[in-house]
Amino acid sequence: MPHKPFIRTLRAQWLGQQLRALREERGMTLKLVSEHLQRDMSALGRYERADWPIRKGDVSALLDLYGYHNAAERARLLALAEEVWRTDRWDEDYGDVVDSSFIEYPWLEGRAERIASYNTILLPGLVQTRDYAEAVIRNAEDPGVPQSRVARWVQLRLERQKILDGSTKVAAVLDESALRRLVGGRETMCVQLRHLQQLMLRRNVELRVLPSSVALHAGMDGAFTLFVLPKPYPAVAYLENLGGRLYVEAPRSERFVHAYDRLRQAALSAKESAQLIASLVKELS
């Protein structure tokens, strides 16, 4: 009976990326590493690409070869090696061994061929202006947080927007209520809507509005972001709320792929969406 193919989980992908980074930092080639460890060079390459699950013993041997002796970091990578097959949430299951930010959201953004989101309350970070982003971040922080900290988070968000200048396709279905919410005030929102108009002219950006007239739709359970990774890696969905952050992997992430397709079909066309945003700009001007 043939074995089922290994699902390239986020744990496997992250572990492979970390091992590759360590190897390249030491200036070692796959050939050199394979000869030293007496492993097949193609197998080591598959470990780094997450094509195959790597064994804990091999991870330990690689870390020894790379001179990576930090106890806490070694424990994180070895813990990953034990459970590269898992696809469930990180924050509850790993506790103090691997914190909830171990898989980084920007890492997924940088790897994705396409980023698609459904947004119910706020506009996605990739399309936010500086003033809009500052208002959102300040609202999320505790009262009295230093301005320097807010400024740092705002700058990081703006730096992530450089992805729009590349080949990554960015798509979003925006609930009409998110466009009408005066985040930061009337002037800030007017500038934000004009910014959306400019982004919609880009070939790699698609913004569509889900009008309030659509009563029931595929996004009734809330906002989400979908990262479509290059083949053969499966898509990953991301959700965030007061309960924490959740990464949903294959095969469950397919539900979000279908949900986004249905939301896009229910939304206005690109032209109609542009017209609605233009009318909102006129109202605020």
Side-chain angles (χ1 to χ4, degrees):
M1 184 176 180
H3 293 289
K4 293 183 178 180
F6 173 67
I7 296 178
R8 295 166 177 83
T9 65
L10 282 182
R11 287 174 172 83
Q13 292 179 57
W14 180 260
L15 178 58
Q17 186 265 347
Q18 295 294 293
L19 293 175
R20 178 178 178 178
L22 285 173
R23 175 176 62 78
E24 292 178 343
E25 285 177 8
R26 304 304 189 268
M28 297 182 179
T29 63
L30 279 173
K31 182 178 180 181
L32 179 64
V33 174
S34 64
E35 290 175 350
H36 183 85
L37 296 181
Q38 297 184 336
R39 296 285 194 277
D40 182 77
M41 184 171 68
S42 63
L44 289 175
R46 291 187 178 98
Y47 292 153
E48 290 185 358
R49 296 191 303 271
D51 292 341
W52 287 355
I54 187 171
R55 294 176 296 182
K56 183 177 179 180
D58 287 333
V59 173
S60 182
L62 288 171
L63 295 179
D64 290 341
L65 176 61
Y66 300 151
Y68 198 67
H69 301 304
N70 181 288
E73 295 301 322
R74 284 182 67 102
R76 290 186 175 195
L77 296 178
L78 292 173
L80 280 174
E82 288 184 327
E83 299 189 337
V84 291
W85 52 272
R86 293 187 64 177
T87 60
D88 44 15
R89 66 186 304 157
W90 292 71
D91 49 359
E92 291 181 354
D93 295 331
Y94 273 69
D96 296 331
V97 178
V98 179
D99 64 37
S100 61
S101 63
F102 198 61
I103 282 291
E104 296 179 349
Y105 190 95
W107 175 69
L108 278 172
E109 278 185 337
R111 298 193 70 226
E113 288 185 336
R114 182 169 175 262
I115 303 170
S117 62
Y118 169 56
N119 308 271
T120 58
I121 306 296
L122 298 171
L123 302 179
L126 290 179
V127 304
Q128 293 177 5
T129 62
R130 178 181 294 275
D131 289 343
Y132 186 104
E134 181 173 346
V136 171
I137 291 171
R138 187 176 296 280
N139 178 73
E141 293 286 351
D142 294 327
V145 65
Q147 173 60 26
S148 59
R149 179 173 178 178
V150 174
R152 177 174 175 270
W153 283 112
V154 170
Q155 188 58 39
L156 287 173
R157 179 162 300 184
L158 295 179
E159 288 177 0
R160 282 168 45 201
Q161 294 178 1
K162 292 178 181 178
I163 198 170
L164 295 170
D165 298 326
S167 59
T168 304
K169 296 180 180 179
V170 175
V173 173
L174 311 172
D175 193 280
E176 184 178 343
S177 61
L179 298 174
R180 293 185 178 276
R181 182 166 286 104
L182 299 183
V183 173
R186 192 180 187 90
E187 183 177 349
T188 294
M189 197 62 200
C190 186
V191 173
Q192 174 65 72
L193 293 175
R194 287 197 177 105
H195 181 59
L196 296 184
Q197 290 178 306
Q198 293 301 311
L199 289 177
M200 294 174 77
L201 300 177
R202 299 193 183 199
R203 292 185 176 181
N204 64 323
V205 176
E206 180 187 77
L207 304 178
R208 297 200 177 198
V209 179
L210 183 69
S212 55
S213 58
V214 179
L216 297 175
H217 51 75
M220 300 303 294
D221 292 322
F224 62 88
T225 300
L226 185 65
F227 298 98
V228 181
L229 302 175
K231 292 182 178 180
Y233 303 107
V236 178
Y238 172 84
L239 303 87
E240 184 174 354
N241 54 41
L242 290 177
R245 296 181 294 178
L246 176 63
Y247 295 92
V248 183
E249 302 177 56
R252 291 185 298 160
S253 58
E254 285 301 311
R255 295 176 57 189
F256 294 86
V257 174
H258 298 318
Y260 185 82
D261 288 342
R262 290 175 58 196
L263 283 165
R264 184 177 180 274
Q265 292 173 8
L268 300 175
S269 68
K271 182 178 180 180
E272 292 168 333
S273 297
Q275 291 172 342
L276 176 57
I277 292 176
S279 69
L280 295 178
V281 169
K282 188 175 180 179
E283 289 178 17
L284 294 175
S285 300

